Amino acid sequence: MAKKQRQRRSARKARSAERAALEATRAASQPGSKEPAKKADASVAQTSAKKSEKPAKKPGRIRSYFRDVKAEMHRVVWPDRNELKSYSVAVIVMLIVFGVCVWLVDTGFVAVLVGFTGLRG
């Protein structure tokens, strides 16, 4: 599943959970309804329990980080030889183009300063 789709799905789940908690608290605030109050308390307890979880210890977090990096590197689509050559040529050409542009602007500024101040140097 694509990353955007996972993010959208988790965002939808979070929004639906927030809506459910909000509806439960609204129902609990209405007089004469005991059952929704229990649901609201349970949902609030779940969210507070998630927030109170302690972060993982350093060695576990580092190990988890490298495990995630390894998994992500398996998902990378590497370019083949022809793509790599074309990308390299494109980068070199753009470096030359931007180098010439910077050289022209620099030469123009120097010409303007020499013309304005009358100094040579």
Side-chain angles (χ1 to χ4, degrees):
M1 184 179 294
K3 183 177 179 180
K4 283 186 178 180
Q5 291 174 342
R6 282 182 291 190
Q7 289 173 339
R8 287 178 184 163
R9 186 175 61 182
S10 63
R12 282 194 301 265
K13 283 184 179 179
R15 284 193 302 265
S16 67
E18 288 175 7
R19 276 195 299 269
L22 182 63
E23 289 175 6
T25 55
R26 284 183 183 166
S29 65
Q30 293 177 352
S33 63
K34 300 254 179 184
E35 200 170 305
K38 293 177 185 176
K39 291 180 184 177
D41 292 339
S43 64
V44 171
Q46 285 178 346
T47 56
S48 64
K50 288 180 184 177
K51 290 180 183 177
S52 66
E53 291 176 359
K54 292 182 179 179
K57 294 182 180 180
K58 291 264 183 196
R61 288 173 51 186
I62 293 170
R63 195 175 307 123
S64 173
Y65 170 76
F66 283 113
R67 194 175 330 122
D68 292 343
V69 168
K70 183 178 177 184
E72 191 67 30
M73 292 304 286
H74 285 292
R75 293 186 198 124
V76 173
V77 178
W78 298 100
D80 60 1
R81 183 177 291 274
N82 291 332
E83 288 178 336
L84 188 61
K85 284 181 184 177
S86 64
Y87 294 156
S88 299
V89 169
V91 167
I92 291 169
V93 167
M94 292 308 296
L95 284 171
I96 291 170
V97 168
F98 280 109
V100 169
C101 290
V102 168
W103 175 73
L104 288 173
V105 169
D106 183 50
T107 304
F109 277 132
V110 168
V112 167
L113 288 174
V114 166
F116 183 69
T117 61
L119 299 174
R120 297 276 175 194

